[in-house]
Structures are given as C-alpha cells and as structure tokens.
Amino acid sequence: MRDGFGREITYLRLSVTDRCNLRCRYCMPEEGVSLQDHEEMLTQEEMLAAVEAAASLGITKLRITGGEPLVKKNILSICRQCAQVEGIREVCITTNGLLLPQLAEPLRDAGVSRVNISLDTLDGEKYRRITRVGELPQALAGIEAALKAGFEKVKLNVVLIGGFNDDEIPALAELTRRWPVDVRFIELMPMTEGFPQSAFIPCTAVLERLPELEPVSGRGGTARLYRLPGGMGNVGLISPVSDHFCASCDRLRLTADGKVKPCLHAETELSLKGLSREEMVQQLRAAILAKPRCHEPLSHAQPSRAGRDMNQIGG
Ligand code: SAM
Ligand code: SF4
C-alpha cells in the first residue's frame, strides 16, 4: 500500500521484546527497561495476526528486533510462524549476537535468511564500556556462529561515536576483508541524553578516514555502499542525522507493546493491542496514511521526538 506521499510501504520492523541482555549507553538506561505489565505486551498470537494483517496490505519484508530478540523465550516459534505468512518473502533479524552460538542454526532453520549483528568496537574494554555489561568474545563468537550457519547475508552494525570508536574505523571496515560480511557505519541518533555534541559525527568521517573506499553502484536499503579493495563485503554508510532518507522511507515499526509507529522520530502511535485481525488491518492502514513526509531535523540540540528509548521501539 502507498502512503499519502506515494511511498510504497513494504517493510515492517517487529519488536518482540523491550528487554535486553546488554545496556548500550545510546539505547537504554542503566537500570534496564521500565517493566510493563505482561498483559500490556502483544501475545505471540497477536504478533502473528499483526504480521498477517501487514502482509495483506503489501508488507513483504519483516525484520525481527527488540530490545534483544534472542532473549525472547519463544523466538524460534515466532520466526517460524512469521516466515510462513503468505506474502512475507523475507524474515531478517537484528541482534547483539551474544546468543547466536546457540541460536544461529535454529534461526536459519526457522526461516530467518539474514542477520544483522551490532558491534561497535573490537576492544574488549571499550565493548564493556559502551554496552555497560557485555563481553566482546561472546559477540565475536556470535558472528562466527552466524557465518557458519550459512545465512544469505550477515551484516555488522557499528554506531559511529566521535571520541569512542572513530579511531577504529579502519579496523572495523577491515572486517570485510576478514569475513564475508557487510560492515555498516550508522550515525548516532540523539535518542537518549548523556552524549556530548562531539559524539555526533557524520558518516563522511568514514570516507575521510578511508579514501581507498570505492563506491558500489546502487543503494543497500538506507545505506550508501562502498568497498575496500579486496573486500568480500560492502562498507555501508547510514546517515539518519546528516542525510535522512525520509523520501524513500518504506517502513513501519511495531513495538512489543503493540504500538505502530508510522515514523521512528515522531510521537504518533496507533495501538494494535486487543484488536481483531480485521481491526488491525484498519489500524495499519491508518498508520500508513499517518506517515509524515519527513521527521523534524535531528541534532544534539534537537533530539528525537520518538518519546521512547530505542530498546522500546525496535531499532
Ligand atoms: N538488540 C539488538 C541489537 O543491538 O542489534 C536489536 C535492537 S537495537 C535497538 C537495533 C539497532 O539499533 C542496533 O544496531 C543499535 O546499534 C541501533 N541503535 C540503538 N540506539 C541507537 C542510536 N541512538 N543511534 C543509532 N543507532 C542506534
Ligand atoms: Fe540491547 Fe540492542 Fe539496545 Fe544494545 S542496542 S541495549 S543490545 S537493544
């Protein structure tokens, strides 16, 4: 279905939980999530009904996210059911990777074809600092497990943070020569407080640091693509702050408590909780028509109006 500005909406990001086994500083507060009542969250049946409703309106691609989707108890069954929904051609997952050693193969067998894994640094001490609690070797083991499981595509997501990991741009991009993965640098979005203005650096910093990057024709979704000579995968630049991609936005987000967000950075939310499948179709149609042309510009001084932390939206 097209929105009010002629954009075809084909992509749903489904957050299956707001809980997480990490506490990344840019994503959620140290004390963890504000615990909502179990009754407020979508049940697995409601998630499936929402995906079916979305597919009936032309959604073909589903990304399962969170919070950390792999801490959800019934994640394999959710993925398997979603992959079988008529009209859904692709089920992908975004994860911090910590549980992939146990779950990579079962996820692939459940119909997940692509995996994005978050990795902001290759330094164990820095990994602990940015995630507050994480162990880098566990994340690296998760990447190895995903590669071994034979997904169609494995991508690594790096949130670019000035003064934290900009000195690691070459080492992180170099991973495309070590493994058949894409490495995508993502500009830090001002969702939570606590980062100085200098932390917000544009993706062009990657091009300045790596002049040997060669442009690859076309775009990979929201990413501009480049390749290192001899690289097995692409280096992607995702610039939600310095060069937003609203004009080609094709997505909706559904939070774990059942709120459809027509735009990541707007307050508008439409609830699917407790609705029948037919009512969900109507509500999703309304959400598509409520998509704004563009969100307000983002900056350190003017943070996102999402009204929630990223773990509660589904990044
Ligand atoms: N837990 C999973 C993970 O970390 O990949 C999935 C959920 S996480 C919210 C999804 C993605 O959002 C991650 O790649 C994370 O780095 C990104 N993210 C979270 N907060 C962000 C922010 N303020 N700016 C840019 N990216 C952010
Ligand atoms: Fe958890 Fe992902 Fe947020 Fe990190 S970015 S706290 S891993 S949900």
Side-chain angles (χ1 to χ4, degrees), residues 19-24 26-28 66-68 96 118 311:
R19 300 181 183 216
C20 188
N21 45 2
L22 294 181
R23 295 280 181 277
C24 301
Y26 46 70
C27 178
M28 68 192 289
E68 172 50 42
N96 59 33
S118 300
N311 71 292

Side-chain angles (χ1 to χ4, degrees), residues 175-289:
L175 295 177
T176 63
R177 291 202 269 226
R178 172 163 152 203
W179 291 316
V181 296
D182 283 9
V183 172
R184 299 157 3 126
F185 292 94
I186 305 171
E187 287 174 356
L188 175 64
M189 292 184 282
M191 309 296 289
T192 55
E193 290 169 358
F195 285 93
Q197 190 157 6
S198 56
F200 297 88
I201 56 173
C203 270
T204 46
V206 177
L207 299 178
E208 283 159 21
R209 194 66 189 75
L210 293 172
E212 64 270 43
L213 280 175
E214 294 158 3
V216 172
S217 62
R219 278 184 87 109
T222 49
R224 273 174 293 135
L225 300 179
Y226 298 83
R227 205 170 261 244
L228 283 177
M232 289 179 271
N234 296 320
V235 173
L237 305 187
I238 303 182
S239 316
V241 181
S242 69
D243 182 19
H244 64 75
F245 24 78
C246 300
S248 58
C249 182
D250 60 357
R251 61 190 58 181
L252 284 182
R253 290 182 152 83
L254 177 56
T255 67
D257 60 350
K259 305 292 191 299
V260 189
K261 284 189 81 71
C263 171
L264 167 60
H265 297 298
E267 274 171 32
T268 312
E269 296 180 346
L270 292 86
S271 183
L272 300 188
K273 181 70 193 163
L275 301 188
S276 69
R277 223 197 82 172
E278 221 13 75
E279 289 165 337
M280 286 186 183
V281 173
Q282 298 311 325
Q283 195 74 313
L284 283 162
R285 188 173 280 132
I288 291 174
L289 293 174

Side-chain angles (χ1 to χ4, degrees), residues 48 51 62 64 76-92 107-113:
L48 187 66
V51 171
L62 187 68
I64 311 254
L76 292 173
S77 147
I78 293 173
C79 290
R80 191 173 306 110
Q81 288 186 332
C82 287
Q84 286 166 359
V85 169
E86 198 183 329
I88 297 296
R89 296 196 202 125
E90 199 172 47
V91 177
C92 316
L107 282 169
R108 191 210 51 211
D109 294 344
V112 174
S113 56

Side-chain angles (χ1 to χ4, degrees), residues 8-44:
E8 190 81 44
I9 308 306
T10 55
Y11 181 12
L12 176 67
R13 295 174 80 101
L14 170 67
S15 173
V16 295
T17 179
D18 57 359
R19 300 181 183 216
C20 188
N21 45 2
L22 294 181
R23 295 280 181 277
C24 301
R25 289 173 189 276
Y26 46 70
C27 178
M28 68 192 289
E30 184 161 17
E31 61 277 14
V33 297
S34 57
L35 291 178
Q36 282 177 284
D37 277 348
H38 191 65
E39 295 75 56
E40 290 176 45
M41 309 313 262
L42 287 184
T43 62
Q44 183 171 345

